[in-house]
Amino acid sequence: MKNPIVPTDPGVRRQVLAENADLMLVAFRFETGAKGKLHSHPHVQATYVKSGRFAFSIDGTEHDLGAGDSLIIPSQARHGCVCIEAGTLIDTFTPRRADFL
């Protein structure tokens, strides 16, 4: 069964691709200029840039990422991003984000 695509923030849509209690795989589609607001959560997150360009902030450190780049966001790290060029992020979370279900 395909999970629905849902809006999150202005210009951002999310789709859960696969999940179980231990791991979740999620696609986030961003329009140019859209923001993933600064936040933190207890989950460890890995982010892969499938397409586009993004400026990430993780605990105050800036990262410029393009297609093919990836990074790990530790548990409780305050993070967010701005989409510089429209694209898609593929994120994994462990354990799964129950708030995304």
Side-chain angles (χ1 to χ4, degrees), residues 29-40:
R29 295 170 180 92
F30 283 76
E31 297 173 7
T32 299
K35 296 179 183 179
K37 63 185 172 198
L38 284 172
H39 65 287
S40 64

Side-chain angles (χ1 to χ4, degrees), residues 20-54:
N20 70 20
D22 298 319
L23 186 65
M24 179 176 268
L25 181 66
V26 182
F28 287 91
R29 295 170 180 92
F30 283 76
E31 297 173 7
T32 299
K35 296 179 183 179
K37 63 185 172 198
L38 284 172
H39 65 287
S40 64
H41 46 71
H43 315 82
V44 175
Q45 175 178 340
T47 295
Y48 171 76
V49 181
K50 180 178 177 184
S51 61
R53 186 149 218 88
F54 297 83

Side-chain angles (χ1 to χ4, degrees), residues 61 74 81 83-84:
T61 300
C81 69
C83 181
I84 306 303

